[in-house]
Amino acid sequence: MSAVREQLPEGRYGRSADERADRKLRIAGAVLGVLFVGLLGWFGWYYVVDSRISAEMIKFDVVSATEVQVHLEVRKDEGAKGVCTLRSRSEDGAEVARKDVRIDDAATRVDRVFSLRTTARATSAELMGCTAR
């Protein structure tokens, strides 16, 4: 009795369909990976370089049951104007104050204290963000 071969001898007739499909998938994955890295780089560049105003909250003080003072340091392009949003929360996490403060100074670095009137005693304050106008 002779044995019947079900498969072709390996390597004799070129690449199989599976090998070609694997190669196409690798190429598609590489192209998508390069596009993703490029898009990520573009967003990073836009966020870092095109940002004309940024701020950092240095500290906050709860002055009374109805007032919080927030010390901000703002860095911006010369002549740029912007708005920064500040928020204060009570012990249970409820928002007790929110204020948009205008940054209209011509200087590139602004160091200022802002006062927020609260509806209840605050335990924290935070800088929500800044946008250029």
Side-chain angles (χ1 to χ4, degrees):
M1 229 185 213
S2 67
V4 179
R5 292 184 100 160
E6 301 265 337
Q7 295 178 333
L8 297 174
E10 264 194 60
R12 182 176 278 186
Y13 299 104
R15 293 182 168 196
S16 70
D18 287 343
E19 288 174 341
R20 277 182 254 134
D22 286 347
R23 183 169 186 255
K24 287 180 183 177
L25 282 174
R26 273 189 254 127
I27 291 171
V31 168
L32 288 175
V34 167
L35 287 174
F36 177 73
V37 168
L39 188 64
L40 191 64
W42 183 77
F43 279 124
W45 177 265
Y46 178 77
Y47 180 76
V48 172
V49 173
D50 283 349
S51 179
R52 296 185 307 171
I53 185 169
S54 65
E56 179 181 0
M57 183 176 73
I58 305 301
K59 69 176 187 169
F60 71 91
D61 288 321
V62 179
V63 178
S64 69
T66 59
E67 184 180 2
V68 175
Q69 290 185 343
V70 179
H71 181 188
L72 280 186
E73 180 181 304
V74 181
R75 292 164 303 283
K76 62 185 187 64
D77 292 345
E78 190 172 349
K81 296 180 181 184
V83 174
C84 293
T85 303
L86 303 172
R87 174 170 75 171
S88 185
R89 291 182 175 219
S90 64
E91 188 173 357
D92 64 356
E95 186 176 280
V96 293
R98 179 181 290 251
K99 185 175 185 178
D100 291 333
V101 294
R102 296 175 59 175
I103 310 296
D104 293 333
D105 299 4
T108 58
R109 186 177 169 275
V110 179
D111 201 4
R112 198 179 318 161
V113 176
F114 297 98
S115 180
L116 279 75
R117 295 285 176 197
T118 61
T119 57
R121 183 157 193 87
T123 57
S124 69
E126 62 185 314
L127 171 66
M128 300 296 293
C130 295
T131 56
R133 290 189 288 127

